[in-house]
Amino acid sequence: MFSLPQLTSEDMAALDAALGDFVTASGSRLALIIDGAGFIVTRQGEPGDMDTATLGALAANSFAATQAIARIIEDQSVTSLYQEGVENSLLLLTIGDFGFLAAVFPSETGVGSVKFYGQEAVTRTRDQLTAARTRAPAEGIDLASLNIADATPLFRRRTAK
């Protein structure tokens, strides 16, 4: 099965709204929805000069490594990954089998607060992606055709009239 369903402009608007609300409530600098392969589906906030494409790929791979370690130690319950930095920190939360919510936030902001607000964003995002998958269960996104430098056109398809 595809990691992401085919998304319409309405789906993207709902995902953007969930991320925008999360950024505002949590005080995060940046929030991204990343698919399981590490591609950025959408983002809200201010990335500045941050290389979000590389961040997405590394975050997805880091989470995959953490899940592999969890299997080795016989723990299947890994749903988040936290990296604390001096200026900024990163929190990754799983969105079911769709991918991840990544939040970059100032280190002085408590990770518990970001995680608390992140749970609502994850629920809203997962619900929207589930609805999209239900609408067209046999169709998904072929990431092999993706331009890694700019995935936006693939994820911003419009609804057929």
Side-chain angles (χ1 to χ4, degrees):
M1 178 168 276
F2 300 97
S3 64
L4 286 175
Q6 188 174 57
L7 302 173
T8 65
S9 58
E10 291 82 11
D11 294 324
M12 293 307 299
L15 297 177
D16 286 340
L19 284 187
D21 292 347
F22 166 72
V23 166
T24 300
S26 69
S28 292
R29 172 181 171 194
L30 177 66
L32 309 112
I33 295 175
I34 305 170
D35 84 326
F39 294 101
I40 306 300
V41 177
T42 192
R43 70 179 190 207
Q44 291 290 310
E46 295 299 324
D49 59 356
M50 190 181 306
D51 180 356
T52 57
T54 300
L55 174 63
L58 292 173
N61 284 314
S62 179
F63 204 94
T66 300
Q67 287 178 319
I69 291 169
R71 282 191 296 276
I72 290 170
I73 63 170
E74 299 175 358
D75 184 359
Q76 303 299 316
S77 63
V78 177
T79 59
S80 66
L81 179 62
Y82 170 57
Q83 181 172 331
E84 183 177 12
V86 174
E87 292 184 29
N88 290 300
S89 295
L90 174 73
L91 178 65
L92 293 174
L93 301 169
T94 59
I95 307 171
D97 65 343
F98 297 111
F100 312 98
L101 168 69
V104 177
F105 57 97
S107 292
E108 62 268 6
T109 301
V111 66
S113 174
V114 176
K115 193 169 187 177
F116 173 80
Y117 291 110
Q119 293 306 319
E120 180 183 349
V122 164
T123 298
R124 288 173 62 187
T125 301
R126 185 180 54 243
D127 290 351
Q128 189 64 44
L129 293 171
T130 299
R133 182 176 282 164
T134 302
R135 189 173 50 246
E139 296 186 30
I141 297 172
D142 180 7
L143 295 176
S145 65
L146 187 65
N147 173 357
I148 192 166
D150 183 15
T152 306
L154 181 63
F155 294 115
R156 300 280 180 190
R157 289 187 180 156
R158 300 187 75 64
T159 306
K161 300 278 179 176

